[in-house]
Every structure is written in structure tokens, then in C-alpha cells.
Amino acid sequence: MKIALIGRGRVATHLLKALLQAGHEVISVNSRTLEALPLVADIYILSVKDSALQDVIHNAVKGREGQLFVHTAGSMPLDLFKGCCTRYGVLYPMQTFSLDREVDFHEIPLFIEASDAASLEQIHALADSVSQHVYELSTADRRYLHLAAVFACNFANHCYTLAADVLAQKGLPFDVMLPLIDETARKVHELHPVDAQTGPAVRGDQNVMDAQKALLDDRLATIYMLMSESIQDKKQHDQLRLTEDTGHRV
């Protein structure tokens, strides 16, 4: 396919490599300078930051209203294109990207959506060419997918940052955490996260939690207790549900 890729950020950089490796003809342009944007392409992909997406859509679509446009944002709705062009969709790669780290795009889940059946078929064909994991998902459901990704990725990474700060207070390197982090990630490939949960909160070790909370400033102590209470609430909820299910079967 002849593809026009608008954007030069992390997602666009990795997507460009994947598209070229799949044999597509790609013209990549910066979202701030659209002079090189072709008037005709099979698909126009807008891969820019969420706050700029609406303005880029209005500028990119001018003179190309009948072409197929898609954006790559997990949290932005399909109907951003509504009223601007007639054919449009979403091509959302659910992954965390860094400019200096390579990724295997074939393993990245792609979530797609479109304004009409013909556009969906075309987007599906493009997605299939770069990934082995392609799913159709509505805007409403994609909101929850992106929310889950924030918990699993962004919040988890922030917890690593907090751990690094705690270690740094005693001159310890963050590297000592890596075997623990790697094993935690490996476990959830085989176990449900609920079954993989360990630590003082799930064990109910209140004395340990009180002692650890005392080592923290007020802000981190609040985060610590909220996380611990959430772990305990989840355990109690699951135990109650298991008891109810067992009772129904008797």
C-alpha cells in the first residue's frame, strides 16, 4: 500500500519501521509541515500526541476529504474525524515505545475500528501485514483497554520509580530490583495476577505494613496504604465470591 504517515514521535518511528519491513511504500512527514503530504494515498496514518490530534486532522484532511484516514491513539474516539472526511478509522498499537529500544511489531496487539465496512477491511489488511495479533474494538471498549494499560504499564513503571527513590536513600542501585521485576512479569504469563500476588498485604501482615509505612513520608505512606488496602479488598472480594459460588453448587 501507499501510506502517508504523519508524525515523528515514538509510535510513528516504530510504526514506520514496521510498515517498511512489511513492504509498504511510506511517505513520512512531520505534523507541523504538511507540504510534502501527498494528495492521494491508500491510507493516511496520523500518529501525533492526543492534544494535537484534532488540529492535525483538520489540516491534513483539507483537499483529501475522500481519502482514508486513521489515528493511532488509544484514548481518542473514532468520531474525531466525523465531519472532516468520509472514510476514517483507528489503528491502535497497544505497547509502550521508546526511541532507543527496538520492538517486535509482529507481537504487538493492534486494535482497529472504522467508519464503514470497506474502510475496516482495508485497515484490517494493513494491520495484518505488520502484526500477528489484530482485534476489532469499539471506541467505548477501547477506553477501558487504554485504562487497563495505564494501570499495567504507566502506574507500574511509576512504582519502579518510587522503588528507585527508596533505594537511593540508602545508596542502593535499582539493579537489585531487576530479578524480582523480571520474575513478577514472567509469573503473569502463567498465572492470573490475583494468583501471583505476594507480599505483606495479601498475607495480612499488619505489623510489617505498619513498620514499612513508618519509613515513608506522608504522600508515599498514603500511596502505600491505598495499594495495600486495594490488595486486601480484592482478596476479600474473591474469597467471598468463591464462597458464594461453592454454596450455589452444594
Side-chain angles (χ1 to χ4, degrees):
M1 295 185 189
K2 182 178 180 180
I3 300 168
L5 176 60
I6 303 168
R8 294 287 175 85
R10 289 173 292 182
V11 176
T13 297
H14 287 282
L15 182 56
L16 173 61
K17 294 178 183 177
L19 292 169
L20 292 174
Q21 288 172 359
H24 297 290
E25 178 188 349
V26 186
I27 298 173
S28 175
V29 300
N30 194 299
S31 60
R32 298 182 184 87
T33 55
L34 298 177
E35 290 84 359
L37 192 64
L39 288 175
V40 178
D42 293 307
I43 298 181
Y44 292 80
I45 302 176
L46 280 59
S47 186
V48 300
K49 60 183 181 181
D50 293 357
S51 60
L53 185 54
Q54 189 71 78
D55 288 339
V56 173
I57 287 174
H58 283 292
N59 291 330
V61 166
K62 290 178 182 177
R64 307 172 184 87
E65 288 80 0
Q67 303 294 305
L68 174 56
F69 284 83
V70 303
H71 72 66
T72 63
S75 60
M76 303 302 285
L78 172 70
D79 62 10
L80 277 182
F81 293 104
K82 202 168 186 178
C84 298
C85 55
T86 56
R87 302 177 62 219
Y88 48 89
V90 175
L91 178 73
Y92 169 50
M94 194 183 68
Q95 182 55 283
T96 176
F97 295 99
S98 299
L99 290 175
D100 55 352
R101 284 187 59 82
E102 294 297 325
V103 296
D104 183 358
F105 222 94
H106 288 96
E107 296 300 320
I108 296 175
L110 292 181
F111 296 87
I112 64 173
E113 185 181 12
S115 57
D116 58 274
S119 296
L120 182 63
E121 183 178 358
Q122 192 170 344
I123 297 168
H124 213 309
L126 176 63
D128 285 336
S129 73
V130 296
S131 173
Q132 298 173 354
H133 310 281
V134 179
Y135 307 90
E136 296 178 22
L137 194 68
S138 68
T139 288
D141 289 343
R142 184 162 35 83
R143 292 167 55 205
Y144 289 91
L145 176 74
H146 191 264
L147 174 60
V150 168
F151 274 98
C153 175
N154 307 131
F155 287 174
N157 190 76
H158 184 61
C159 286
Y160 300 156
T161 302
L162 298 181
D165 289 345
V166 170
L167 292 169
Q169 293 176 25
K170 296 301 176 182
L172 295 169
F174 182 69
D175 288 358
V176 301
M177 291 286 108
L178 295 181
L180 176 64
I181 291 171
D182 291 343
E183 176 58 17
T184 302
R186 279 193 293 264
K187 281 199 297 186
V188 295
H189 283 267
E190 302 173 8
L191 302 173
H192 190 281
V194 167
D195 298 323
Q197 187 69 57
T198 60
V202 77
R203 292 194 300 266
D205 293 341
Q206 190 63 47
N207 59 325
V208 176
M209 290 191 293
D210 289 343
Q212 291 185 337
K213 180 182 175 183
L215 299 175
L216 303 169
D217 61 32
D218 290 344
R219 182 177 64 89
L220 288 184
T222 299
I223 294 173
Y224 181 96
M225 290 311 300
L226 286 173
M227 292 287 283
S228 297
E229 289 168 4
S230 181
I231 291 170
Q232 292 176 327
D233 289 346
K234 179 63 178 173
K235 179 181 178 181
Q236 292 173 2
H237 177 270
D238 289 345
Q239 287 176 334
L240 178 61
R241 185 175 60 183
L242 179 61
T243 301
E244 291 174 346
D245 290 345
T246 303
H248 290 155
R249 288 197 296 270
V250 172

